[in-house]
Amino acid sequence: MTLALPRAVTPGPEFLSGVTVSYALGRSGNPYAMMCHPEAHRSERYLYGIAAGLGLRAGNAYPRTTHVLYYVQDVWALDYGHPDTLLRLPAPPHGWALRAQRIRGAHIGVSLDPLLPAFRPGRRVLTGTVGYRADARIGLL
């Protein structure tokens, strides 16, 4: 028996409006952002598209990717591979933002479940670590 995974499709702005983000600082102070969508089971191919566009992988580790978290003109965003659209993130907590700026990166996860999962083994999450780039007003949050 063969298991067929959904084909990754890079979603447009209409899907992104439903993406929710949860921010956390790990024990070591590393910034984490976990994304999910309430219709994840019906639209899993779009979440795979976001994860593939960011270079995320399955597992509990956060391997470094070549992708970047941007902070430009008071907007936080990820380039997830769409030709015309960035994934705009809600403003993170101040401490999270400062830490991401200081270490020049953040751990990013995309949950394939409709609700954000607990951090536990066996979760359906694709993960990676993105770098950080900002405009000239870095640190002015």
Side-chain angles (χ1 to χ4, degrees):
M1 182 164 133
T2 303
L3 176 65
L5 294 176
R7 187 172 66 87
V9 175
T10 303
E14 63 286 343
F15 181 80
L16 298 183
S17 65
V19 172
T20 59
V21 181
S22 174
Y23 297 103
L25 289 173
R27 279 187 232 169
S28 63
N30 288 330
Y32 290 83
M34 184 67 68
M35 294 177 273
C36 73
H37 195 282
E39 297 190 17
H41 292 307
R42 290 190 312 161
S43 304
E44 196 171 85
R45 67 185 185 276
Y46 294 126
L47 292 167
Y48 274 112
I50 291 171
L54 290 170
L56 306 183
R57 302 284 179 254
N60 292 325
Y62 286 80
R64 177 143 313 274
T65 74
T66 59
H67 299 275
V68 178
L69 170 68
Y70 293 97
Y71 176 64
V72 179
Q73 297 180 351
D74 297 327
V75 173
W76 291 85
L78 288 163
D79 181 353
Y80 69 103
H82 191 277
D84 303 317
T85 305
L86 292 176
L87 197 165
R88 185 174 177 162
L89 302 174
H94 186 71
W96 189 98
L98 289 176
R99 186 65 182 158
Q101 289 176 339
R102 189 171 301 124
I103 70 166
R104 315 252 341 126
H107 299 314
I108 303 293
V110 172
S111 171
L112 301 176
D113 295 314
L115 300 173
L116 290 173
F119 286 92
R120 60 176 170 26
R123 62 192 176 166
R124 293 176 8 108
V125 174
L126 301 169
T127 60
T129 299
V130 296
Y132 171 79
R133 232 179 253 154
D135 66 6
R137 296 175 302 149
I138 186 168
L140 299 178
L141 297 175

